[in-house]
Amino acid sequence: MTNGPTRHDDMRAVVDWLVDGARTAATLQDALGQLCERLLAGGLPLHRVAVFVRTLHPDVMGQRLLWRPGEEVAISDADYAMLESETYQRSPVRIVFRTAQPIRLPVEAADCPQDYPIVAELRTEGVSDYLIQPLPFTSGEVDAISWTTTRPGGFDASELAALEAVRLPLARLVEIYTLRHTAINLLDTYVGRHAGERILGGRIRRGDIERIEAVIMLTDLRDFTTLSDRLPGDEVIRLLNSYFDCVVPTIEAHGAEVLKFIGDGLLAIFAVTGDVGAACRAALAVSEEARAAIAAANAERQRAGEPLLRHAMALHVGDVLYGNIGSAKRLDFTTIGPAVNLTARLETLARDLGRDLVVSARFAAHSPETLASLGTFRLRGFREAQEVFAPR
């Protein structure tokens, strides 16, 4: 590694690489790691470098990407509670986000300002100089990057000029990566990961449909109409959120996809990728785990004097049409077909029978578990009576 003055040609090559889109880097962490290695090769005595990006995510306020020589770039998430913490309130990151102005701290100097707790942390690592710069986006948002060195005397004038030279092209690159990450987050949040991948992959035209075999799951929160009529609106929302917290995580943990929330219920599918029995087994595991989560939630709700959660669930196996349906300019990525209609009728039957789970005969035929017949029932819209099953 060169520790002498920064070479102009090396820095020009680094800036050109950034302007060209850092094509050798597939991710933001790759780009940060490669950038720092290139700067090291150009003579910058870097110790640790961190990029701070804000995200649009229901749980994660932002991320820190941290590079150290000889290590992989580490990524850590910050939740929204971080915004109220003393660590964040007294952080130079917050100031840069707010003012879009750089902050330089001569950490090795005895008279270095002690306003920021990070100074003591950096001194334990032998850091001599700290610079944090704004990364301005075209949207007006500001993210940030911090640079440190352990060389006595800190960064010299040519090194500071090099860091300034890479700042704006790096900001454009970070903005591009962040926008894509935000798009993925929003699609995952609002349409589900699998549908989101298809949409980002170009499946955006009305009529982009594929036929797949899947286990279809429909759930419904029982007595919701009565509860929503007598409870204040904010309590109704908390009730629904509590119910979905019991069901959705276990659906996703078993590789299934929640396609939509339908008032007080949801529609999910377990795509069959070869073994129908495996998909059935996963759906039954979801039912068991959701039942256990609801029981735990109800214990808390009973202690708090709140209404208990009671639900009905139906499972069926069949072919469905999966893709974009809607008007020319307003689409929904969903699934339709007779199999979905039958599952909806089964879910209504489960509620009428006071059962928390019923399954179709076809599901029972593929299920690795033995299920008990509840008899045959006439279901609205279906010519033939349907035999229905439930766990023993």
Side-chain angles (χ1 to χ4, degrees):
M1 181 179 72
T2 301
N3 289 320
T6 302
R7 294 192 296 272
H8 175 77
D9 289 345
D10 290 334
M11 290 305 101
R12 183 69 261 168
V14 171
V15 171
D16 289 344
W17 174 74
L18 289 171
V19 171
D20 193 44
R23 298 190 188 190
T24 56
T27 64
L28 182 55
Q29 52 267 44
D30 290 341
L32 177 60
Q34 292 182 32
L35 170 63
C36 292
E37 294 299 330
R38 288 167 183 260
L39 292 175
L40 274 179
L44 264 75
L46 298 176
H47 170 60
R48 79 177 194 184
V49 179
V51 171
F52 305 91
V53 294
R54 285 177 283 190
T55 62
L56 194 57
H57 188 279
D59 298 319
V60 179
M61 176 273 291
Q63 291 184 320
R64 182 187 73 171
L65 289 79
L66 180 65
W67 172 89
R68 295 178 186 271
E71 299 181 12
E72 295 290 330
V73 173
I75 303 177
S76 55
D77 294 339
D79 60 24
Y80 285 94
M82 180 73 175
L83 294 173
E84 305 302 323
S85 69
E86 183 180 3
T87 299
Y88 180 75
Q89 291 297 316
R90 298 180 62 194
S91 166
V93 176
R94 184 182 71 87
I95 305 301
V96 173
F97 282 172
R98 183 168 55 85
T99 66
Q101 295 298 314
I103 297 172
R104 187 180 179 193
L105 299 172
V107 179
E108 67 180 358
D111 61 350
C112 179
Q114 301 297 306
D115 303 349
Y116 307 108
I118 194 174
V119 171
E121 176 187 339
L122 294 174
R123 281 178 171 166
T124 64
E125 295 188 21
V127 168
S128 58
D129 202 357
Y130 170 91
L131 172 67
I132 183 167
Q133 300 170 301
L135 297 175
F137 290 179
T138 56
S139 64
E141 181 183 331
V142 175
D143 284 358
I145 185 168
S146 66
W147 313 88
T148 68
T149 182
T150 57
R151 190 183 64 195
F155 295 117
D156 64 27
S158 66
E159 291 159 354
L160 291 172
L163 295 179
E164 178 60 24
V166 303
R167 181 175 70 90
L168 291 182
L170 176 61
R172 295 289 78 74
L173 193 65
V174 172
E175 182 172 12
I176 291 168
Y177 280 116
T178 301
L179 284 172
R180 181 169 179 83
H181 189 61
T182 296
I184 292 170
N185 283 341
L186 292 176
L187 287 170
D188 285 353
T189 299
Y190 285 96
V191 303
R193 180 172 59 84
H194 300 297
E197 289 173 350
R198 284 171 166 81
I199 292 169
L200 281 177
R203 302 291 296 275
I204 58 172
R205 299 192 63 192
R206 182 169 62 167
D208 277 345
I209 297 290
E210 61 182 305
R211 183 180 296 275
I212 65 171
E213 185 178 20
V215 171
I216 306 139
M217 171 182 287
L218 271 166
T219 76
D220 180 71
L221 186 61
R222 289 161 60 183
D223 303 323
F224 179 72
T225 301
T226 301
L227 290 171
S228 60
D229 185 56
R230 66 181 179 85
L231 293 176
D234 57 343
E235 289 188 30
V236 172
I237 297 300
R238 285 199 300 272
L239 179 79
L240 280 175
N241 288 340
S242 177
Y243 171 57
F244 291 135
D245 278 345
C246 294
V247 181
V248 174
T250 184
I251 291 175
E252 294 179 340
H254 285 275
E257 180 174 17
V258 175
L259 287 178
K260 60 172 65 259
F261 295 98
I262 312 167
D264 58 332
L266 62 83
L267 167 66
I269 59 170
F270 300 71
V272 174
T273 57
D275 183 0
V276 179
C280 293
R281 188 182 304 111
L284 289 173
V286 167
S287 174
E288 287 296 321
E289 291 169 18
R291 184 183 296 114
I294 288 171
N298 279 339
E300 293 291 331
R301 298 182 68 84
Q302 188 169 35
R303 281 192 287 271
E306 297 174 336
L308 301 185
L309 304 174
R310 299 169 62 243
H311 86 148
M313 178 183 291
L315 299 172
H316 176 49
V317 180
D319 290 340
V320 297
L321 295 176
Y322 179 56
N324 287 305
I325 299 165
S327 68
K329 295 185 179 180
R330 179 63 174 88
L331 298 173
D332 188 14
F333 207 98
T334 188
T335 186
I336 62 170
V340 178
N341 299 338
L342 176 58
T343 311
R345 299 293 179 259
L346 291 173
E347 185 275 319
T348 300
L349 179 64
R351 183 184 58 203
D352 293 343
L353 296 176
R355 294 269 183 171
D356 58 10
L357 174 66
V358 301
V359 308
S360 69
R362 186 172 181 196
F363 182 99
H366 288 291
S367 174
E369 296 186 22
T370 303
L371 301 167
S373 176
L374 301 178
T376 57
F377 297 86
R378 292 282 180 183
L379 302 178
R380 184 166 59 88
F382 289 86
R383 213 170 31 248
E384 297 180 1
Q386 303 289 324
E387 189 173 13
V388 178
F389 294 76
R392 292 184 182 274

